[in-house]
Amino acid sequence: MLKTLQRIVQEVNSARTLDETLSIIVRRVRRAMKTDVCSVYLLDQEQQRYVLMDTMGLKKESIKQVSLDAGQGLVGYVGEREEPVNLDDATQHPNYVYFAETGEERFHSFLGVPIIHQRRILGVIVVQQQEKRRFDEGEEAFLVTVSAQLAGLLAHSLATGSSSLSGLAQNSIHGSCFKGVAGTSGIAMGSAVVILPMANLDTVPDRVPEDPDAEIEQFREALTAVRNDIHEVNRRLAQRLSEEERALFEAYQRMLDDSALGQEVINKIGEGNWAQGALCQVVTRHARFFELSQDDYLKERATDIRDLGRRVLAYLQKIEQDEIEYPEKAILVSEEVTPAMLGEIPKEKLAGLVSVQGSSNSHVAILARAMGIPAVMGTIDLPLGLLNGQKLIVDGYQGVVFNNPSDELLIQYGNLMRAEQKLQKGLEDLAGLPSVTLDGFKMPLLVNTGLAQDITHSLNHGAEGVGLFRTEVPFMVSERFPSEGEQQQVYREQLKAFYPQPVTMRTLDIGGDKALPYFPINEANPFLGWRGIRVTLDHPEVFLVQVRAMLRASEGLNNLQIMLPMVSNLPEVTESISLIERAFTELCEEGLDLKRPDIGVMIEVPGTIYQVSRIAQLVDFLSVGSNDLTQYLLAVDRNNPRVADLYSSFHPAVLNALNTIAQSCRGHECRLSLCGELAGDPRGAVLLMAMGYDALSMNAVNLPRVKSAIRQLRKADAETLLDQVLQLGTSEEVIARLAEMMGELGLGALLQPVMSLKTPKKVQ
Ligand code: PEP
Ligand code: MG
């Protein structure tokens, strides 16, 4: 059964349209379960009706003609109950409704299973048989498994809008919203420019060609180029492989022949598809045919065909990519946006970016932040192939993308953008003013940096130092570990720019979602694996080079602080301190005139919450990494859009943990700060101030907003607010209370602009 299921999923996966998806499902499930009928009904969200979308066994004329109200008939009953309904004689059930068009009077047994994706009912899959019998447990379990597996694929297929039924429009990509995670705060509106992943046969859209002859010409060019490549590879391998072993290349050449695959593609172009789409159709069809074969030899041929297809596609895309014309407001969309892609778009035209892969810590997200480009990362369900040229709204606050938004949404976001620009203008004047409350309490605000570009931003915004310099960023832009000298130069630049204010340099925090191309860490559970200090303590040579570079860079400036990431126990702290002290002593012996830097530990692993007072006795400062602390406390991957709704630093458990940390640190000679995203949110900043945090470190962009909030309230008000908030039971209650209080204090405008919008409906 597992094999059958895998095959069905595999086949559905390669379907190009919703109709094709449905047709595969009904045919395959009927065959696998040996039933007389298999049908799929989809829920038209707008009309709240189930529409018979495809069937094997009922009359074909009823497809897309028969439909039922949401609560009507057995199908409606399955949808309402959200569980399987298994009947030996459907006609006897009180909910049974008969549609003459279907010819279903002959069928008695009925098994209907809801198709549910992310708590939303998409439709119902039904199998029926003439014989009066209850489907057995195994059959029922199989259909439930099929339905659960197919729900995600079907949701994606619906989202691509390729259904011929307009009533399902609300499910289509038009006007839909795709979830990712916030990369850079801000809103962008513009036209999508999709940079297709080079040679990915599964993401090429169908498109009507403007000039079919030119497409055929391009295809022929690409074909010739691939033939030449294969010929060349064959020639080069001639010395190392025997003729038999090279027979594959001959086979490749034959497959590419005008009379074989080549001619089929040309025919498809003639029928009205562009070269890339035609190629992918033909290749996918042949590959699928071979994949389904039981014969291992033939299965292998599927790989060959795909490989050839990718090679031809790569040439076609190269021809196409040379011709990209960027619109005035381009939203760069790609499977994995790379820094190079950012560089290819003229700067004045790049409005926003959306990447299917990646997280807020990816290199490109860090670059986007430095450039101030709103970005959404990790939009795993985005139908890339269908977005080119479409109107998009990129909401980098909430981490969502709207495709072809309604006029109403465009107006709402347009207003927000204007309000945001106005607010920013007003905030610019704050740069030179102190961060102090109405009742005279000073709350130092620092910045998080990574790239050299961050320096100017930070200084312009009136930062009082650097609370977190993510040193992995210069490591990411390099092609190998940067040398001690190279690192020293980068660190010196930071220390000098902020002198005499402190610069907190975090030792290399790689692993988790922070990858170095030249030092890959492949693990099943990277966030719980070899990360941060665990890696560098295992590689003292890397750690020592980095610390030495920091110390050398600080000579004469003496504003360096060193911070350790991902600490989970005391020995990690003591070992790191002794390595830092060793480097310090050696450099002093070399004759450098150094001041011992303050050393601090990041509190981001939940276990360390309960060891704060012990750690505080070992170091000069603690800094809470609320981004990681939230993900570990709530067991929610900070980069997984599927669980993004569960990730909230306003969760009472997180707030209480932050408060406990502040209480445990009190009385020790150890400063306490926080450098996660929460510090850059005015609501979070106000609460943290009330808890007693000594400093807050944030993105430069958020600093003026936070400063404005601090300057407009009394510390006593913040403390009252904190007392109330700590009594609440859910994130929603906390957020509502904060909004209320900010409103009462006249700070409503400082809330993230999208707070005033309804949470987008969950399509994906
Ligand atoms: C954090 O975890 O809150 C933090 C500041 O570090 P990073 O986001 O780089 O993991
Ligand atoms: Mg962290």
Side-chain angles (χ1 to χ4, degrees), residues 506 509 514 531 566 602 604 625 627-628 638:
R506 178 171 74 183
D509 185 19
K514 297 172 194 131
R531 254 200 90 173
M566 265 301 282
M602 286 196 76
E604 49 187 350
N627 304 340
D628 276 316
R638 63 196 251 190

Side-chain angles (χ1 to χ4, degrees), residues 414-430:
N415 289 341
L416 286 173
M417 271 174 93
R418 276 185 291 281
E420 184 66 358
Q421 279 158 4
K422 207 166 132 204
L423 177 71
Q424 287 299 349
K425 272 222 167 77
L427 293 176
E428 275 164 21
D429 305 337
L430 288 179

Side-chain angles (χ1 to χ4, degrees), residues 361 448 468 470 472 506 509 513-514 531 602 604 624-629 638 675-677:
N361 274 322
N448 296 347
L468 166 64
R470 290 184 163 101
E472 51 282 356
R506 178 171 74 183
D509 185 19
D513 62 340
K514 297 172 194 131
R531 254 200 90 173
M602 286 196 76
E604 49 187 350
V624 177
S626 56
N627 304 340
D628 276 316
L629 190 64
R638 63 196 251 190
C675 59
E677 290 299 313

Side-chain angles (χ1 to χ4, degrees), residues 226-238 253:
V226 174
R227 270 209 203 98
N228 291 342
D229 286 353
I230 291 174
H231 182 75
E232 185 54 27
V233 174
N234 194 3
R235 196 186 58 78
R236 264 188 273 130
L237 289 177
Q253 293 285 21

Side-chain angles (χ1 to χ4, degrees), residues 438-543:
L438 290 175
D439 47 356
F441 181 79
K442 272 199 192 140
M443 184 73 241
L445 303 182
L446 298 95
V447 277
N448 296 347
T449 59
L451 291 164
Q453 291 98 304
D454 293 333
I455 297 176
T456 345
H457 272 302
S458 310
L459 294 173
N460 288 346
H461 286 116
E464 295 171 63
V466 176
L468 166 64
F469 173 50
R470 290 184 163 101
T471 59
E472 51 282 356
V473 179
F475 278 68
M476 281 179 191
V477 294
S478 180
E479 283 179 356
R480 50 168 171 74
F481 284 118
S483 68
E484 194 171 319
E486 286 163 343
Q487 289 186 51
Q488 185 184 339
Q489 219 175 343
V490 176
Y491 302 156
R492 181 88 185 165
E493 198 180 358
Q494 290 272 333
L495 292 165
K496 243 174 132 175
F498 288 92
Y499 175 83
Q501 290 167 329
V503 174
T504 311
M505 297 199 174
R506 178 171 74 183
T507 60
L508 195 60
D509 185 19
I510 51 168
D513 62 340
K514 297 172 194 131
L516 297 181
Y518 48 88
F519 192 70
I521 300 173
N522 295 318
E523 294 178 331
N525 235 332
F527 275 117
L528 301 182
W530 206 41
R531 254 200 90 173
I533 202 71
R534 302 171 184 180
V535 177
T536 47
L537 281 179
D538 284 353
H539 279 280
E541 77 286 12
V542 175
F543 188 77

Side-chain angles (χ1 to χ4, degrees), residues 601-622:
V601 159
M602 286 196 76
I603 301 294
E604 49 187 350
V605 175
T608 55
I609 301 172
Y610 306 100
Q611 293 205 296
V612 161
S613 55
R614 279 177 180 275
I615 302 173
Q617 290 167 44
L618 299 174
V619 292
D620 305 294
F621 67 93
L622 299 179

